[in-house]
Amino acid sequence: MTHPEITAELIRDLLRDQHPDLADHPVRLGACGWDNQLWRLGDDLAVRLPWATQSADELLRKEHAWLPVLAPHLPLPIPVPQRLTEPSERFPRPWIVTTWVPGEPADRAPATRATEAADTLAAFLTALHQPAPRGAPAGRGRGGPLADHAERCAEQLAEATERLLIPDPDAVRAVWDDATAAPDWTGPALWLHGDLHPANVLTADGTFCGVIDFGDLCAGDPACDIAAAWALLPDGAADRFHEAYRPTPDAATRRRARGWAVLRALGGILIGEAGARGLPGGKPTWGPPAQATLRRLTAASGR
């Protein structure tokens, strides 16, 4: 079946068909993400529909199953699925109604209050990083051994170097090599967000006020999420984060986290550059925070 164009009219029709009690709420586009479109539904709800990758269907079901379990234990708001709708003739893929989380994505409005932001991020990840139960979702490579991503890192670093997008490729490579040489995680598989880049964390008044897009929710090595200290916080605030996070990350975890930050930053730089050139799938706002991440990592090399 051909995927229909997603419009406000389609959203209203879908609601009339399957959730008529919500059909009279005002509908307006909220955001177009990598996998999904998000449409505001009144003041407090949102409709999230997959529009790009086929894997988005599975990710929506995963969020519907697990986020209501996790949300009550987290100190920041997250989008909590309220209803899951199965494919229909009108729209051939599942979609969900969730709570709306207000705030501005950090790729557009970076955190500026370093201490508050570091403490808020540390409190959120301390609360999230609890042992996951058996049956927790797999991570599509997130939270596993960092070395599994060596080929992708090498390809992205080579492409970014060829395009003259990073000033010191050797320094970036040194951070990556040190990270992959660190001992692997041997603790329990912890709950992870799995994709804490700036577009998935919301800000207000200079600090963090919400976390969205849990499509990569999984269990594994917390270093995957701790990488956000270099991607989201103002310069010099990573140390404050490490002091506030519990239990305090050991040296090996911090090293692995720096490697995850390199990997995410390289992807962000390439996606940002594609957006600057107007290419499909590009997001120009992803470039500056990714560049800042690499600058912080190479400036603090060895920490």
Side-chain angles (χ1 to χ4, degrees):
M1 182 180 293
T2 302
H3 196 297
E5 179 184 3
I6 300 176
T7 63
E9 289 71 26
L10 175 64
I11 302 294
R12 292 191 189 96
D13 288 342
L14 291 173
L15 291 169
R16 289 190 190 101
D17 286 349
Q18 302 188 53
H19 302 289
D21 59 313
L22 301 177
D24 292 335
H25 288 55
V27 175
R28 62 191 186 278
L29 182 62
C32 290
W34 192 262
D35 296 305
N36 302 281
Q37 286 191 21
L38 196 66
W39 289 76
R40 295 287 303 274
L41 184 60
D43 294 329
D44 302 321
L45 297 174
V47 175
R48 193 171 175 202
L49 303 96
W51 76 302
T53 62
Q54 286 299 124
S55 63
D57 299 9
E58 175 190 346
L59 305 186
L60 291 181
R61 295 184 190 279
K62 175 170 62 176
E63 292 188 22
H64 182 264
W66 290 106
L67 294 192
V69 177
L70 296 174
H73 306 288
L74 301 177
L76 289 178
I78 68 172
V80 182
Q82 304 295 299
R83 307 186 190 183
L84 173 66
T85 301
E86 296 299 329
S88 65
E89 183 176 353
R90 194 180 293 272
F91 191 78
R93 303 179 69 179
W95 50 278
I96 59 175
V97 178
T98 77
T99 55
W100 172 258
V101 181
E104 187 73 11
D107 61 322
R108 300 178 182 272
T112 55
R113 295 162 56 197
T115 299
E116 293 86 346
D119 288 349
T120 299
L121 181 63
F124 178 82
L125 289 182
T126 295
L128 176 63
H129 289 171
Q130 302 301 314
R134 294 185 64 180
R140 301 194 301 173
R142 313 291 173 98
L146 185 62
D148 290 352
H149 302 270
E151 183 177 352
R152 177 159 66 100
C153 183
E155 291 173 353
Q156 291 181 335
L157 181 58
E159 183 177 354
T161 301
E162 182 180 354
R163 294 183 177 278
L164 304 178
L165 299 177
I166 51 179
D168 192 347
D170 290 338
V172 174
R173 188 176 294 104
V175 174
W176 173 260
D177 289 344
D178 178 72
T180 55
D184 288 340
W185 174 251
T186 58
L190 304 183
W191 275 120
L192 309 176
H193 179 280
D195 200 21
L196 281 178
H197 61 70
N200 287 340
V201 181
L202 305 179
T203 64
D205 300 322
T207 190
F208 305 122
C209 65
V211 180
I212 60 174
D213 196 348
F214 282 74
D216 283 299
L217 179 73
C218 62
D221 177 4
C224 178
D225 281 354
I226 291 173
W230 289 280
L232 295 172
L233 296 173
D235 291 1
D239 287 346
R240 172 74 183 209
F241 166 85
H242 293 136
E243 292 168 2
Y245 177 89
R246 293 292 180 271
T248 303
D250 61 20
T253 298
R254 292 196 299 272
R255 289 167 64 192
R256 293 193 307 277
R258 287 162 52 80
W260 282 105
V262 164
L263 193 65
R264 195 158 291 142
L266 289 173
I269 286 170
L270 294 172
I271 292 169
E273 192 260 351
R277 292 191 287 145
L279 298 179
K283 297 182 181 294
T285 59
W286 287 26
Q291 291 283 4
T293 299
L294 288 189
R295 175 174 51 76
R296 294 177 192 126
L297 289 166
T298 54
S301 182
R303 284 191 181 179

